[in-house]
Amino acid sequence: MERRETYLLRESIETITVSLTGFKSECFHFGSQSEGTTTPGLNSDIDCLKSYYHTNIMTDWRDWKAGVYNLLMLHDDHTPPQQYLLQVIRRDTPEPETRLYDEMYVRKDSGQVLFSSEQWKKETEQIHKDYGEITKQGPSVSIIPNWDIVQAFHVCHPLPEIQHWIDRCRGRDWPPAQLLEAAQGAPCFLVPAGHPDSDYNREEWRLSPNLIERMLMFSFSMTQIKCYIVLKLIKQSLFSKMVGDFTTSFHCKTVMFYIIERTHPSLWKEHNLMFLLLLCLQVLRKWLRFRKFPHYIIEGVNLFDGKMSFAQQSRLLQYVEYLIKSDMHDLFYIDIDKLGYRLQGCGIRHIGQAGEVLERVCIHNIISLSLTFERLKRFLIYLRRITSKKEHPNTIFEQDINCKLRNCFEYYTNAKLKSAALEFINHLFALYNSMQSSKYLRQRNHAFSEIIRRFKYALKTDVASSRLKLASVLYCFGHLQAAVKVLDDAERRYHSKVKAVCGCRRIEGQSDLHVFANMTSDDNERPFALCAKFVREEAHCAPYILWFEMKRNMTEEEVSQRNVVDKQWMDYAEVDALPFLHYLQYLTYGGLGERDKQLHVLGILESYVCDPRNKINMYHIETALNLLGHCYEMEGDYEGALHYYAESLRTWARTNNAANWHVQRVHRLIST
């Protein structure tokens, strides 16, 4: 269940990020990723729900709160099941709002002022329009490819729909009594989606019991998970040929809920998988015949509504009947994830050869590394967001980082957020400590032993970046022998299978599974290297050449060309770990007068940067070329320096590139 643990950790990371940037909301990853019910072949999207606490959702007038936004849930005989209208209630008094002073407010025929779900989505779209291309689907408004992002509201009060379901399920083997008890206290969500046949579908909000559905999914046995995954593979491989993408994973999940509730637990054995799949298809056939697909929790909902026309239902019914009559013969020809081959092991012959076991172990390791890479990449994006001065331009940066550190120590006391908080603490403490080092250097205060001692608490962030910053601090303080020892340790850890991770840029193919196939993973150290980053407050503990990266624009016009993401990091210096390691080695060996080692490491740096096979691990190629050019500049080879500076401008961009400063400087050196 590594995938499940990874996405629950990502939830906590995202929730802390939102809190540190001053918003009151909570993030959830629902769906197959956090459930651990996807495979490489399914290529499932990532589902993210953000629920906001700044609005109080009322189920009756007693729930009103002074001084906050209040929305009253309305449901009558004309409102479809699962749908609600939200009436705007005043903040200063428990009375209905009568003014349309917000673009998201609309007036109903009865005169009630409603909070429109459609206008809410438009507002979300407007806020994020500068961050990238926007994709809208159902309640989702997303700027990230292959992500569904839903902005929702918590409903923390008891709801009759949920209580009715709990009462219906009591006394059964499944769901268990403990789950039903937990479900009574679980919040539901209101997501911006109306019923397709409703007169108020642009104003309606859909009640979504995601947390209860998660509890149900987390109670699945391994055989039940496998059955659900196979159902999704059937949907994607076979049903899609009949009705396109009008059947969804939620349809498959609902079938599973009903089947598990109505079968004895002893049936759920792997050798019964084909029989269990047959039961699922029989239930689906029954619902297709009646043209009604019931929601498992909320009574009266038809999941065919707005998803599948009568003609499509008839076409799918015909095919499901064929599948049942043919003993599901088509399943054995599904190629995705070698499903047909695997099902034969359950139903016809047992496949347990050593080669297959070895392949499963290999695939597990690849997926594990892929999950870690994606989590680290997202973490760096969130870290960049909370340490960007654009987020807090009017505060003293060091004080702001210190404040965020204190907040993270508070989150650390929360059992759910503990692991995520520790990750933030490690990185923020490393940044704070490095800024302190820079201050000591600027003030020529050489009593730095305490600062150096603190670095040991930040060395576990990855295999290289924190060690490189420590080595850089030692170099800038003049402790070259100590810097060499740290660099040797970093080089030993940075073996050939280590993969670079960046939160600023992406490289095409960086997440392909084959990239992780040849990586080795040490249980104690993840084989990933983050970029080394220096903010301006760290300038005095960074090599001088990186100061130009912090002022990479030559004109203000270049700054205006930066996109939203660029503006969050381009005033800092960010460099890939391995080129920076070799550059620091070049500097320290030079300072120690070890000329042979200096020239040797220059050759290694040049070979690495110029080898096209390494591009998959170089996110800041222009900076790596600038470092290489600077080595040639220090060698007095100005022609070689200009060559690599020009290559930097050619490879990445002619604007917002520190190489422009370097070219000017070298030309001045040549002319004098």
Side-chain angles (χ1 to χ4, degrees), residues 68-287:
V68 300
Y69 293 104
N70 290 279
L71 298 173
L72 176 64
M73 296 171 64
L74 301 179
H75 186 96
D76 58 27
D77 294 340
H78 302 291
T79 313
Q82 200 180 4
Q83 302 296 144
Y84 281 89
L85 296 172
L86 293 179
Q87 183 180 5
V88 183
I89 308 301
R90 291 174 58 172
R91 301 174 65 176
D92 58 340
T93 179
E95 297 176 4
E97 181 60 72
T98 56
R99 300 162 297 164
L100 295 176
Y101 64 84
D102 193 299
E103 290 183 356
M104 287 178 281
Y105 296 174
V106 296
R107 196 181 301 278
K108 195 180 177 186
D109 294 342
S110 61
Q112 294 166 310
V113 174
L114 304 178
F115 190 86
S116 166
S117 59
E118 189 64 27
Q119 292 300 113
W120 167 258
K121 286 191 289 185
K122 286 182 179 178
E123 175 73 9
T124 303
E125 186 178 353
Q126 182 65 25
I127 291 171
H128 295 94
K129 62 181 175 61
D130 295 331
Y131 286 80
E133 184 179 350
I134 291 176
T135 303
K136 294 184 288 184
Q137 183 174 348
S140 167
V141 178
S142 176
I143 56 169
I144 308 175
N146 302 317
W147 279 54
D148 286 334
I149 303 176
V150 176
Q151 315 282 340
F153 294 121
H154 263 80
V155 182
C156 297
H157 304 289
L159 294 166
E161 298 96 327
I162 305 304
Q163 189 58 51
H164 178 79
W165 169 75
I166 291 171
D167 293 340
R168 178 178 70 80
C169 292
R170 290 193 194 280
R172 299 178 183 267
D173 289 325
W174 191 90
Q178 309 96 290
L179 191 154
L180 295 176
E181 184 178 347
Q184 279 192 308
C188 290
F189 302 96
L190 288 170
V191 302
H195 191 281
D197 299 327
S198 172
D199 293 335
Y200 290 96
N201 63 354
R202 295 173 62 85
E203 286 75 47
E204 285 174 352
W205 296 73
R206 186 170 70 214
L207 183 67
S208 188
N210 301 82
L211 286 171
I212 298 175
E213 290 162 3
R214 170 185 279 185
M215 293 176 194
L216 294 170
M217 291 301 304
F218 282 11
S219 74
F220 276 22
S221 68
M222 187 54 65
T223 300
Q224 289 163 347
I225 288 173
K226 288 180 179 180
C227 186
Y228 174 48
I229 290 173
V230 173
L231 272 183
K232 292 202 289 185
L233 289 167
I234 293 170
K235 169 192 75 73
Q236 186 161 312
S237 299
L238 304 179
F239 292 173
S240 63
K241 295 176 183 177
M242 302 294 120
V243 294
D245 59 357
F246 290 99
T247 50
T248 66
S249 295
F250 192 72
H251 287 124
C252 299
K253 184 183 296 186
T254 303
V255 169
M256 285 296 301
F257 289 158
Y258 277 103
I259 289 294
I260 296 172
E261 180 188 280
R262 296 172 183 180
T263 53
H264 195 273
S266 63
L267 271 177
W268 290 96
K269 307 294 181 185
E270 189 161 338
H271 63 266
N272 289 330
L273 186 57
M274 295 300 291
F275 171 70
L276 294 163
L277 287 168
L278 179 62
L279 292 181
C280 292
L281 291 176
Q282 288 173 342
V283 167
L284 178 58
R285 178 178 62 181
K286 173 185 173 183
W287 292 342

Side-chain angles (χ1 to χ4, degrees), residues 1-7 10 32-33 36-44 229 337 342 358-376 499 510-521 526-528:
M1 290 289 95
E2 185 173 357
R3 183 182 297 274
R4 181 179 295 178
E5 292 171 2
T6 297
Y7 274 86
R10 286 176 63 159
S32 57
Q33 298 288 357
T37 57
T38 187
T39 68
L42 282 170
N43 193 28
S44 301
I229 290 173
D337 297 316
R342 295 171 189 272
L358 184 62
E359 181 186 11
R360 284 204 301 269
V361 171
C362 179
I363 290 173
H364 175 268
N365 289 337
I366 290 170
I367 292 173
S368 176
L369 289 166
S370 171
L371 287 168
T372 302
F373 171 75
E374 293 295 331
R375 181 181 63 76
L376 286 172
K499 178 165 174 53
Q510 65 179 14
S511 301
D512 293 350
L513 287 181
H514 70 80
V515 172
F516 305 96
N518 297 319
M519 290 174 60
T520 56
S521 178
R526 302 170 298 196
F528 296 100

Side-chain angles (χ1 to χ4, degrees), residues 617-631:
N617 279 317
M618 280 197 285
Y619 292 88
H620 301 277
I621 180 66
E622 82 283 14
T623 306
L625 286 163
N626 290 341
L627 296 182
L628 180 56
H630 189 236
C631 290

Side-chain angles (χ1 to χ4, degrees), residues 579-648:
F580 187 48
L581 188 156
H582 295 318
Y583 176 75
L584 285 175
Q585 287 177 321
Y586 177 86
L587 294 180
T588 51
Y589 288 140
L592 291 168
E594 298 186 29
R595 184 63 174 158
D596 289 343
K597 289 184 177 180
Q598 185 183 31
L599 291 175
H600 175 69
V601 82
L602 174 57
I604 293 175
L605 174 60
E606 185 170 32
S607 175
Y608 180 82
V609 173
C610 296
D611 190 338
R613 291 174 298 181
N614 296 323
K615 286 186 177 178
I616 193 69
N617 279 317
M618 280 197 285
Y619 292 88
H620 301 277
I621 180 66
E622 82 283 14
T623 306
L625 286 163
N626 290 341
L627 296 182
L628 180 56
H630 189 236
C631 290
Y632 272 88
E633 187 180 336
M634 288 186 284
E635 288 289 318
D637 184 350
Y638 297 147
E639 185 178 340
L642 286 173
H643 166 74
Y644 283 114
Y645 293 146
E647 192 68 12
S648 172

Side-chain angles (χ1 to χ4, degrees), residues 371-406:
L371 287 168
T372 302
F373 171 75
E374 293 295 331
R375 181 181 63 76
L376 286 172
K377 184 181 69 174
R378 294 305 304 176
F379 175 79
L380 290 179
I381 291 171
Y382 299 132
L383 187 67
R384 182 192 74 219
R385 191 175 299 167
I386 67 171
T387 57
S388 167
K389 293 184 182 178
K390 304 299 180 187
E391 295 292 334
H392 35 70
N394 298 320
T395 61
I396 298 174
F397 188 66
E398 186 177 318
Q399 290 179 358
D400 185 78
I401 297 302
N402 196 20
C403 179
K404 285 180 166 60
L405 252 177
R406 290 197 302 270

